[in-house]
Amino acid sequence: MRLITLGPKGTFSEEAALRFYERSGRKTPLSLEFSTIPGCLRAVERFQADYAVLPAENMVDGIIGTTFDALIDFHDSVKVCDELHLPVHLVLAAAPYAAIDNIRLVLSHPSPLSQCLNNLAKLLPHAVQQPTESTAAAAKMVQERLDCAAVCSPKTAKEYGLKVIHDSLADYPHNETRFLLCSLADSPPTGNDRTLLAVRFGVNQPGQLHAVTGILAERGIDLSFVQSRPYKVRPQDYVLLFELSGHKNDPLVEEALSLIEQFVRKTDGWKKVLGSFPQREKGV
């Protein structure tokens, strides 16, 4: 199995990819590569990877906007086909001889920094927080410095030779991140599925959101997720993201999607189905 995920090595994304491989039960050897989020989807599109494993939503910090933007960009060729929930344990780690009283700079990906905002303020009220491209990149950067610390997983700290100077750093217990698995096709119906939908209205008018959700509600289709993302092509324009219960091939969902497309087209907008996939239990 060829997997690709957000790099570099040592991130929560790598851990999610390894869990997905174990869950799949595949006997074929694992090939795991790393890239950016768009790079992961591009690799799937070009048949260089079977699945991309992308961070999508943290229960504390919210959605990873870059992932959903990329899913919209690649929707013609790559679909969401599965999901995975990864428990997140965050620690404060530093070089072996560093002391917490000397820490003046804290590095990590923006999402973990947000997940530890309150505890970091109490623990290191005068330290500057600096975002990095990943928790692994942060761990690598603090290896040789005594005035820096990284927010990362215990596994990442160990991999980069750091010592844990504060355990259980996250503001809320039971923290987890949801990952989306993407391939060239979405999954067949299982009877317990979700469908991810993106909608953009060409002309904004009152009641459009109500109309879309009404079409779903009239058919008993539940919504588990509604978000907006800036539309990169036009300033102050937005794309609406809906995650709904059911598979796109279910008769009622299929009917609802058709009606939504007709409604959106009247505004010179568009509707994109980003994929249908099994609904997984938390922690799976």
Side-chain angles (χ1 to χ4, degrees):
M1 180 187 286
R2 300 173 302 167
L3 301 183
I4 189 165
T5 193
L6 180 64
K9 183 176 176 60
T11 63
F12 286 110
S13 294
E14 180 189 22
E15 188 175 342
L18 293 174
R19 287 202 178 199
F20 173 65
Y21 175 69
E22 292 172 2
R23 192 180 75 185
S24 73
R26 301 282 183 90
K27 302 301 182 183
T28 53
L30 171 64
S31 171
L32 181 56
E33 301 291 335
F34 301 94
S35 184
T36 62
I37 287 174
C40 290
L41 294 181
R42 191 172 295 110
V44 173
E45 181 183 55
R46 295 176 177 176
F47 303 94
Q48 296 168 345
D50 299 313
Y51 298 94
V53 183
L54 303 182
E57 181 184 16
N58 178 264
M59 63 166 284
V60 176
D61 193 46
I63 70 168
I64 311 298
T66 307
T67 291
F68 288 95
D69 294 343
L71 290 172
I72 293 169
D73 289 341
F74 284 86
H75 85 282
D76 283 330
S77 54
V78 182
K79 299 293 184 183
V80 179
C81 65
D82 209 337
E83 66 176 0
L84 182 145
H85 299 267
L86 180 74
V88 174
H89 181 198
L90 293 168
V91 302
L92 189 68
Y97 298 104
I100 193 168
D101 292 340
N102 296 328
I103 301 301
R104 298 292 179 265
L105 182 65
V106 179
L107 307 174
S108 192
H109 185 275
S111 185
L113 288 176
S114 294
Q115 295 164 43
C116 305
L117 194 62
N118 294 330
N119 283 337
L120 281 173
K122 295 175 185 176
L123 190 67
L124 297 168
H126 303 298
V128 175
Q129 297 180 24
Q130 180 177 311
T132 58
E133 64 180 10
S134 68
T135 53
K140 186 175 182 180
M141 291 170 68
V142 307
Q143 283 178 310
E144 305 297 331
R145 296 184 59 174
L146 300 181
D147 63 340
C148 295
V151 177
C152 60
S153 72
K155 181 179 178 182
T156 301
K158 182 178 180 180
E159 184 160 332
Y160 285 88
L162 305 180
K163 70 173 181 179
V164 174
I165 57 178
H166 189 84
D167 198 3
S168 300
L169 191 63
D171 291 340
Y172 299 93
H174 314 300
N175 188 16
E176 70 173 35
T177 295
R178 180 164 70 128
F179 288 79
L180 297 178
L181 290 301
C182 307
S183 65
L184 293 174
D186 38 16
S187 296
T190 67
N192 184 26
D193 304 290
R194 288 174 168 170
T195 295
L196 194 60
L197 174 69
V199 168
R200 177 188 163 265
F201 298 106
V203 178
N204 187 46
Q205 296 175 349
Q208 290 173 325
L209 178 59
H210 179 268
V212 170
T213 56
I215 290 171
L216 298 170
E218 287 167 7
R219 286 152 187 82
I221 299 169
D222 190 29
L223 278 170
S224 57
F225 179 103
V226 180
Q227 293 280 344
S228 67
R229 291 295 301 159
Y231 186 44
K232 304 299 189 290
V233 179
R234 292 175 57 181
Q236 298 184 334
D237 204 348
Y238 295 87
V239 177
L240 295 177
L241 295 163
F242 301 90
E243 185 179 76
L244 51 99
S245 61
H247 193 280
K248 68 179 185 182
N249 291 336
D250 293 346
L252 287 176
V253 175
E254 192 172 21
E255 178 182 310
L257 292 175
S258 177
L259 290 172
I260 290 171
E261 181 163 15
Q262 293 174 37
F263 177 74
V264 172
R265 282 187 175 181
K266 292 178 182 178
T267 73
D268 197 28
W270 47 253
K271 176 217 76 179
K272 304 178 189 297
V273 176
L274 306 182
S276 289
F277 52 94
Q279 179 177 340
R280 303 291 183 178
E281 297 296 326
K282 303 295 185 181
V284 178

